[in-house]
Amino acid sequence: AGRGWEPPRNFIDITHSKDMSSYYNGAKIVINCTGSVQQIMEVTACGVFQLVEDHPHLHNYRIAEEDLIRFQNFKELSDSFKHYFPHSEERRISASRALKELKYNHSYIQQGKLLLRKIFKEP
């Protein structure tokens, strides 16, 4: 949306919606500009490809850079969107790998191991 863009078709702005999972599950691409790790994880858990606005606190997020496509400005967003929109197989592979990493890294056993390492870490 904006100057120089065609009117969006099949575009839904869900910024103010409360239950967004039903939107995520049917989306081809989610453009995530919130910077919220929780929302990134929710979209990832739905198995949906997303373009994420880069924030400094996301660098420790445990999903590989190639599976969580980040952008820093409008040109990067536009270029990524133009590349990934017609390439459904690339989107599917990226979203599937991100979902796999999320399920592994944020499972109870992995989080428990992380907690125990922090508790019993030598000074």
Side-chain angles (χ1 to χ4, degrees):
R3 189 175 12 174
W5 285 73
E6 295 178 18
R9 292 184 318 244
N10 300 326
F11 178 82
I12 301 170
D13 183 2
I14 57 171
T15 349
H16 303 293
S17 181
K18 293 185 190 231
D19 180 29
M20 295 193 257
S21 62
S22 59
Y23 292 111
Y24 297 153
N25 286 323
K28 290 183 180 181
I29 294 178
V30 170
I31 300 171
N32 193 333
C33 299
T34 64
S36 163
V37 173
Q38 178 182 348
Q39 190 170 17
I40 291 170
M41 291 173 71
E42 287 174 2
V43 174
T44 302
C46 289
V48 179
F49 176 81
Q50 62 184 316
L51 299 171
V52 178
E53 185 175 18
D54 199 14
H55 291 279
H57 66 277
L58 296 179
H59 292 284
N60 293 329
Y61 186 59
R62 298 170 72 180
I63 289 185
E65 190 75 29
E66 62 271 8
D67 299 328
L68 189 64
I69 310 304
R70 299 176 185 178
F71 63 91
Q72 293 183 357
N73 54 49
F74 181 74
K75 178 163 177 17
E76 288 180 11
L77 169 61
S78 178
D79 291 346
S80 294
F81 188 85
K82 286 176 186 173
H83 172 78
Y84 285 104
F85 191 76
H87 295 99
S88 59
E89 188 64 17
E90 285 184 45
R91 290 193 321 260
R92 186 194 61 76
I93 289 169
S94 179
S96 296
R97 285 191 313 223
L99 176 59
K100 178 182 170 191
E101 283 192 47
L102 178 76
K103 283 183 167 184
Y104 178 78
N105 290 328
H106 295 280
S107 68
Y108 287 117
I109 193 159
Q110 294 303 321
Q111 292 298 305
K113 286 180 181 179
L114 182 64
L115 178 63
L116 289 172
R117 268 184 278 187
K118 288 186 178 189
I119 291 172
F120 295 109
K121 183 179 175 184
E122 294 183 33

